[in-house]
Amino acid sequence: MSDTTQSTSLVAQVFNYAGIALSYFNDLPLAQRVSIIVLAPFIYHITWQLLYSLRKDHTPLVFSWIPWVGSAIPYGTQPYVFFEKCNKQYGDIFSFLLLGRIMTVYLGPKGHEFIFNAKLAEVSAEAAYSHLTTPVFGKGVIYDVPNNKLMDQKKFVKGALTKEAFKTYVPLFVEEIVKYLKTSPNFKVNEHDSGKINVMVTQPEMTIFTASRTLLGKELRDKLDTDFAYLFTDLDRGFTPLNFVFPNIPSATNKKRDHAQKTIANTYLSIIKKRRAANDIQDRDLIDELMKNSTYKDGTKMTDNEISNLLIGVLMGGQHTSAATSAWTLLHLAERQDVQDELYQEQVKVLDNFNRELSYEAIEEMSLLNQTLKEVLRLHHPLHSLFRKVIKDMQVPNTQYVVPKDNFVLVSPGYTHLQENYFPDPHSLNIHRWDNDSQSSYSVGEEIDYGFGSISKGVSSPYLPFGGGRHRCIGEHYAYCQLLTIFAVFIRHFKFRYETPDGTVPISDFTSMVTLPTGPAYIIWEKRVPGEQL
């Protein structure tokens, strides 16, 4: 009998048995049929998990009861608690079901190395994130392009993120911070000597104002004093866990997201066209930089529409994380008067009793302020999980495990940051744990150039606040410069505390895409010198 005949016969038998089963099912009482329909997904789900776990080359699978949803609830609400529980039961490597996706987790520095330095032929960040980021940033940029073009785009942007640029940014940061402190209803410091603020309001606003002024120029910064600013809020709300799975649900939030993306992009585009028409391309801001330098290695150029979208990507990509870190820093300072005092005395020394202007060189000399920011980033990694989609079966080194194609791999430097074996008393703020660490401990090993400049290839450090590998954040030094300037101004002029003596740092809210303080998060600010005018 031929293979074709055998196959046809087998199919016929399957249909025959299916017909018999369906006939039997239809003869059952309604209540039994309903019970079978309800229970069938659960039976299938449990059976699938058992069969998956029989494969010795599969990583241990975290058992779950709910089909498709899997472990979404414990992971989504308390990811570090979930990881710790799984780590104790399965070890550093395990998998779990998350909204229809199999996520393979590799915890610790070896996991950092395995995922961050994985080959392009094995994993794809673009396939993991594009459906979430493209509606927010726009087409043709970030994860909506092949990796080689993304590396080129990072190189285009890096021209505005040099040390020389930072030296010009610090005075602009200070100007924007003082303007905000004087005019924002949250402060109005020339009218009041103290006040109450919600850091989840003030810090996102201050972050986007300072970033817009330095990266996009005065013309666009001035637009943020109008209703244009609210468009960034609408755009920001496009980053939700729900949109990670269903990015195109026709919800009110997504309609506002799409309107905001189009409006902001068209605003940027009008400025680009205006400058091109007048041949007015200088060295003012990132817009000029991209208009001069946005030709890919293959000779093609970014369109003006794509430049507009990339500007959104640059601003929004850092907005979440910097605002969160800024908020966390204020909350920790409010709890630690001793740290505030140390930072103030450091400024008195570095700025020669404030006879010296605040500058890029000055904030570099403020070692305790740098260590404070470094410690807050350790305690509160902005992103509790980072993903890649597996596009080719991956062998896990020194194990029998193979991560199958179409799974996702997940790495969590934030979890490692909180492990006792790497950082004693890991949940406490201790800025002096970095006293003998003059160099960033995550910049170790040989360097490699992925197309946007040389970075450290080593990612096996337990401390990776900005990720690693080809997708390491290119804005890390800009973020440090921006945040250090904000807190240098804060520490010089204010003291912070909670409303009550027993006030403490809020717990983390993991339900958004960024690790935020549970809000509202209020603290009290007081002028160091009552009556002082900024």
Side-chain angles (χ1 to χ4, degrees):
M1 187 180 293
S2 68
D3 290 342
T4 303
T5 304
Q6 285 181 331
S7 177
T8 303
S9 176
L10 180 60
V11 170
Q13 290 181 49
V14 170
F15 274 101
N16 182 50
Y17 289 129
I20 295 171
L22 183 60
S23 176
Y24 175 76
F25 176 78
N26 288 332
D27 290 339
L28 292 173
L30 177 61
Q32 291 185 24
R33 279 184 280 164
V34 171
S35 297
I36 290 173
I37 291 172
V38 171
L39 291 174
F42 292 89
I43 294 171
Y44 170 82
H45 179 62
I46 292 170
T47 304
W48 168 79
Q49 291 180 90
L50 292 172
L51 292 174
Y52 184 93
S53 300
L54 289 176
R55 290 273 302 267
K56 293 187 181 297
D57 59 343
H58 282 171
T59 60
L61 182 68
V62 179
F63 182 80
S64 60
W65 287 105
I66 307 176
W68 190 77
V69 173
S71 301
I73 295 174
Y75 165 73
T77 55
Q78 292 289 337
Y80 295 150
V81 173
F82 175 73
F83 291 153
E84 181 66 19
K85 181 179 178 181
C86 294
N87 180 250
K88 288 180 179 177
Q89 186 171 354
Y90 305 108
D92 290 339
I93 310 170
F94 54 89
S95 296
F96 68 96
L97 185 66
L98 176 66
L99 305 179
R101 297 167 166 84
I102 302 176
M103 317 296 295
T104 297
V105 182
Y106 196 162
L107 299 173
K110 290 183 179 178
H112 302 169
E113 184 73 34
F114 176 64
I115 295 172
F116 285 137
N117 277 347
K119 297 176 181 177
L120 268 180
E122 294 176 330
V123 299
S124 170
E126 293 77 15
Y129 291 117
S130 177
H131 57 289
L132 174 69
T133 59
T134 300
V136 176
F137 300 153
K139 291 189 174 295
V141 300
I142 316 295
Y143 293 124
D144 193 48
V145 292
N147 186 265
N148 63 307
K149 286 196 170 183
L150 172 57
M151 296 302 106
D152 282 348
Q153 289 178 5
K154 292 174 80 167
K155 186 175 182 179
F156 302 155
V157 170
K158 211 168 181 183
L161 304 176
T162 64
K163 188 172 182 177
E164 291 307 309
F166 297 156
K167 291 178 181 179
T168 68
Y169 292 166
V170 169
L172 297 178
F173 286 147
V174 173
E175 179 184 319
E176 283 296 327
I177 296 163
V178 171
K179 178 183 175 182
Y180 184 81
L181 294 172
K182 290 164 67 175
T183 61
S184 169
N186 297 296
F187 284 97
K188 290 198 172 181
V189 296
N190 285 350
E191 300 176 23
H192 308 285
D193 283 345
S194 65
K196 175 181 172 181
I197 57 171
N198 178 359
V199 299
M200 294 310 299
V201 173
T202 60
Q203 299 321 109
E205 289 180 349
M206 196 172 291
T207 302
I208 200 165
F209 289 156
T210 51
S212 296
R213 179 65 182 90
T214 51
L215 295 177
L216 303 184
K218 189 175 187 303
E219 184 177 1
L220 279 170
R221 163 61 187 94
D222 289 342
K223 287 183 178 293
L224 293 179
D225 290 327
T226 68
D227 289 342
F228 190 79
Y230 292 101
L231 293 171
F232 283 95
T233 300
D234 290 339
L235 200 60
D236 189 58
R237 288 175 179 155
F239 287 119
T240 66
L242 182 62
N243 278 348
F244 186 76
V245 184
F246 302 114
N248 297 311
I249 288 179
S251 63
T253 298
N254 283 353
K255 288 178 181 178
K256 288 183 177 181
R257 172 201 66 188
D258 296 342
H259 169 72
Q261 200 286 327
K262 184 176 181 180
T263 304
I264 295 171
N266 285 340
T267 302
Y268 292 168
L269 186 61
S270 67
I271 292 175
I272 292 170
K273 288 182 176 179
K274 178 182 175 182
R275 291 185 184 183
R276 287 204 190 279
N279 196 26
D280 182 22
I281 305 173
Q282 304 176 32
D283 294 302
R284 289 164 292 202
D285 45 44
L286 183 57
I287 299 175
D288 281 343
E289 180 70 28
L290 292 175
M291 290 175 71
K292 291 188 301 180
N293 177 32
S294 56
T295 302
Y296 293 115
K297 289 188 179 72
D298 64 7
T300 60
K301 294 184 177 181
M302 292 187 73
T303 67
D304 287 348
N305 281 318
E306 290 168 347
I307 290 175
S308 299
N309 291 341
L310 184 57
L311 291 168
I312 294 175
V314 170
L315 193 65
M316 297 301 296
Q319 164 68 7
H320 277 79
T321 52
S322 293
T325 300
S326 183
W328 281 118
T329 304
L330 265 184
L331 292 168
H332 278 285
L333 289 176
E335 188 180 51
R336 294 288 300 274
Q337 300 298 316
D338 59 321
V339 175
Q340 292 185 55
D341 292 343
E342 280 192 87
L343 296 180
Y344 182 76
Q345 291 304 320
E346 179 179 64
Q347 282 206 43
V348 170
K349 180 180 178 181
V350 170
L351 297 179
D352 189 22
N353 205 25
F354 302 116
N355 290 312
R356 176 186 176 188
E357 289 291 325
L358 188 65
S359 64
Y360 178 73
E361 291 81 4
I363 61 173
E364 278 195 316
E365 293 174 34
M366 296 177 187
S367 57
L368 290 180
L369 185 60
N370 278 267
Q371 288 171 212
T372 300
L373 188 56
K374 190 171 184 178
E375 178 70 348
V376 171
L377 282 166
R378 183 194 66 79
L379 284 166
H380 307 283
H381 196 292
L383 303 170
H384 63 73
S385 302
L386 297 164
F387 310 107
R388 304 287 185 264
K389 186 172 184 179
V390 179
I391 56 178
K392 178 185 177 183
D393 290 357
M394 293 178 70
Q395 175 73 50
V396 181
N398 303 313
T399 74
Q400 78 267 31
Y401 301 136
V402 175
V403 184
K405 177 184 176 183
D406 294 328
N407 275 25
F408 285 73
V409 285
L410 184 158
V411 64
S412 180
Y415 171 82
T416 311
H417 287 184
L418 299 174
Q419 298 309 296
E420 179 84 30
N421 52 326
Y422 299 115
F423 301 99
D425 195 12
H427 296 282
S428 296
L429 180 82
N430 178 8
I431 68 172
H432 292 289
R433 74 170 76 242
W434 306 102
D435 281 352
N436 298 317
D437 190 59
S438 60
Q439 300 297 321
S440 296
S441 61
Y442 56 93
S443 298
V444 294
E446 64 180 291
E447 293 194 336
I448 187 171
D449 188 348
Y450 291 107
F452 57 90
S454 294
I455 62 170
S456 171
K457 186 178 180 180
V459 292
S460 58
S461 167
Y463 183 72
L464 293 176
F466 294 95
R470 65 178 59 251
H471 292 287
R472 178 168 159 180
C473 177
I474 63 167
E476 57 185 287
H477 298 300
Y478 176 87
Y480 258 94
C481 183
Q482 178 190 37
L483 294 172
L484 289 170
T485 305
I486 290 173
F487 283 98
V489 174
F490 274 173
I491 289 296
R492 174 173 178 174
H493 296 288
F494 307 111
K495 292 182 179 181
F496 301 96
R497 61 177 174 83
Y498 285 97
E499 292 183 84
T500 59
D502 60 346
T504 58
V505 178
I507 62 173
S508 297
D509 177 2
F510 295 106
T511 57
S512 73
M513 298 301 291
V514 175
T515 305
L516 302 172
T518 299
Y522 290 107
I523 60 172
I524 303 297
W525 61 268
E526 298 173 337
K527 285 182 183 175
R528 288 186 177 274
V529 181
E532 180 189 32
Q533 298 289 292
L534 267 63

